[in-house]
Amino acid sequence: TPLFELLSWENFIYGSTGELLTRTTSSNASYTSSWTADRSQQTITDETGTSVTVDYDAAGRAATITRQAVGTVSQHVTTIEYDADHRVTKVLEGPVGGERLVTEKQYTKAGLLDRIIEPGGVITKFDYPGNTRDVTITYHYGTTKSSTRTVTRHTDGRTKEVTGTAVVEERYRYYF
């Protein structure tokens, strides 16, 4: 008599270069993927027949993600821009021919995330007190609705505490 019962399963099929080509599950969820010969474009199709095409730039980064129209939902395009250090600097999202929402990311000279400017001009600001691994995140920066979240870390990177006006305070102890 078995001591277990199989609840679900997943089957994966990989291509000769290691990329996932097919995933099938016991719940009938599926995924198929195909690539162009030069590996600059990938097409992914799920069990509903919805297709997503990912175009890659010369550095192998996702540059454009296009979800095909489904029913009354129009085609949706996401365009991603990068800086010379491969950091995402801008994401444009929206329907083809429609308004596109823009999210910008700005970085410090040291390469740390400085701020995220979301649609509508909402700014999330990142500060690194004492040039340590600690980070203070200010949501709705520059407004009367701003709130903060500060993550303080031990020198080895483990979280010491989380404090601020946007969180329930947390304190961590480690026993080794």
Side-chain angles (χ1 to χ4, degrees):
T1 321
L3 298 176
F4 67 92
E5 183 176 337
L6 183 63
L7 299 176
S8 64
W9 52 263
E10 290 182 272
N11 289 333
F12 298 93
I13 298 173
Y14 294 89
S16 60
T17 54
E19 73 278 358
L20 179 62
L21 296 178
T22 306
R23 179 179 72 82
T24 308
T25 71
S26 56
S27 65
N28 291 325
S30 65
Y31 161 107
T32 58
S33 175
S34 60
W35 292 81
T36 56
D38 65 357
R39 319 274 309 149
S40 65
Q41 187 178 75
Q42 178 186 23
T43 302
I44 304 164
T45 307
D46 69 14
E47 66 273 4
T48 66
T50 302
S51 202
V52 175
T53 302
V54 183
D55 292 297
Y56 296 89
D57 63 15
R61 305 170 299 199
T64 305
I65 303 166
T66 306
R67 190 203 68 231
Q68 298 306 316
V70 177
T72 59
V73 179
S74 64
Q75 185 180 47
H76 183 91
V77 176
T78 301
T79 304
I80 305 165
E81 296 178 9
Y82 301 87
D83 65 12
D85 288 322
H86 306 287
R87 296 178 298 227
V88 173
T89 57
K90 190 180 285 187
V91 177
L92 297 95
E93 299 181 76
V96 172
E99 181 180 0
R100 305 209 49 211
L101 301 176
V102 178
T103 301
E104 285 186 66
K105 292 184 178 184
Q106 298 173 353
Y107 300 88
T108 66
K109 290 180 182 178
L112 301 171
L113 185 58
D114 182 49
R115 62 184 64 203
I116 299 173
I117 305 169
E118 297 181 68
V122 177
I123 298 173
T124 302
K125 176 86 171 98
F126 297 79
D127 290 301
Y128 306 89
N131 293 320
T132 63
R133 294 180 180 206
D134 302 343
V135 62
T136 297
I137 304 165
T138 305
Y139 304 97
H140 297 276
Y141 177 75
T143 72
T144 57
K145 296 179 182 182
S146 68
S147 57
T148 61
R149 178 179 195 257
T150 299
V151 179
T152 307
R153 300 185 186 283
H154 292 282
T155 54
D156 65 1
R158 292 175 295 138
T159 301
K160 184 176 184 180
E161 64 184 8
V162 179
T163 59
T165 59
V167 297
V168 174
E169 293 192 4
E170 303 171 29
R171 304 226 186 314
Y172 295 85
R173 287 189 182 166
Y174 301 90
Y175 300 97
F176 296 39

